[in-house]
Each structure stands twice: as C-alpha cells, then as structure tokens.
Amino acid sequence: MRKWRVAGLLALALSLLLLQLPRTPLGQRLEWLLYDARLSLAARAFPGRVAWDSRVLVIGITPECNRRISAHWVFWLSHYVKVARRALEGGARVVGLDLLPTYAEPAALREFAQLQSDYPDRLVMIAYWDGEKELTLPENRLAMILGVHNLALANLSLDSDAVARAQAVEPLDLQQYGREAWPFLAAELATRAGLERPLASAGQGRAYTHFSSSPRPPLAFHQVWSGQVTPDTFRDA
C-alpha cells in the first residue's frame, strides 16, 4: 500500500510538472521524458490500470499475410472489401481503412460500391495531407463512391525523436473538396462509434496516448480474410 501511495504522489508530481514546462524545444523535450517516465511508473505500480478498450479491434497485415495471399498488395482492394464486410456483418459499428488505394480493378470497384451501398457511412478511408498544400485522396472512383465526408486524415504523428506519444484529435482547418475542416482517422472513428473524443492534452490539437501495459494483439488480416475469425469477434467493435 505504501508503494502505491509513493508511486501515486510521484505520478501527480510529474503531471503537475508537465503543465508548468515552457513551450520551448528544451521544455518540450523535458515534457516528453517526464511523460515517458510517468507511463513507465504507472505501468509498473498499477498493472492493468490503463486498459485496452475492448471495442477497438486492429486488423494487421504481417509478412505471414503476404505469404498467404499471393497477389501483389496493389491488387488487394477486393481483399480489403471482403475483410471489411466480414467485420460489418459481424456487428462492427464502423470500419476504418487505414490505406490509400491508388488503383482499383473494375470487379473490385463494383464490390466496394456494393459494400458502401449495404453499409452507408460505416466505412472511413484515409486521405493524406503533406502538412503544406497537397491533399492526396484515394483513387478517384473510390473517393466518389465513398463520398468525401467519409474520408479522414492519416493519423500517425511522430515526435522529433521518432516516438509516437500523441495523436491528432482536433480537425484540421483545411478548405478543400468542399469541406471546411478535415478530421483525423482515430477521432472520426471514435465519434462514429459513440466513444468519447479525447481532449487535446498534448497541445497543437493532439492528445497524449496512454499505452496499455497489456495491449490486445491485432487480428491477422489473412485469418479474417479466410474466415478463421468468428463473426462474434466484431460485435459492437
């Protein structure tokens, strides 16, 4: 019990110190180090306190997936459609496609259009913003089928030391393709699933990511694709 009280006081002290650091390069670097220390301390003193939300499922593509699916990944649109359909038929509230197809075969395009028709506004695909002036959308016909309102910006945000401590959650003021602002993928998926959008605790429209000490392993893409994952897995995801 004493150990927990000491750890709690240290975590509180670190949190208060984070709020006081000036927004200078050195202050930012110190903030990152303190944040890392706080997460490490919390993971050791309170295992399981930062829990993985069971409603969030990640389907990952691994080298094994590439071995199991012989076609080059540029021709995988029909496979993405198949996996997304399995998730939606299993009860997923929304599916985020964190990929940017630049080519669509006619047959795969028809499958994608049918999926969008069967589950309107439950698919969200990324667009890529280069941080200056270029906004890259998926292949034109895909974007037209999906609708610009079902596009969100790619989420990965690395600090200058190549660590992803925070993710963008506030929409970006970007007036392109008839939109006044563009949401980021994770925040948009949370909103559509009825989850609470995190506050921008890291500044600059970003929220610190509190990593779980026991994250849920991702589902293998090829296993979902081949039907090895039961439909109930996606219920309310």
Side-chain angles (χ1 to χ4, degrees), residues 7 14 35 37 41 61 65 84 91 100 102 144 147 155 169 174 183 189 202 215 217 236:
L14 288 173
Y35 176 75
L41 179 65
I61 297 176
C65 298
L100 192 65
T102 56
M144 290 178 62
N155 240 88
V169 292
L174 181 64
L189 293 178
D236 294 326

Side-chain angles (χ1 to χ4, degrees), residues 11 20 43 63 75 87 93 96 99 125 135 145 173 183 195 221 223-224:
Q20 302 302 319
F75 301 111
R93 299 180 186 182
L99 50 98
M125 187 177 286
L135 180 62
I145 291 170
D173 292 331
L195 306 181
F221 182 89
Q223 291 182 334
V224 181

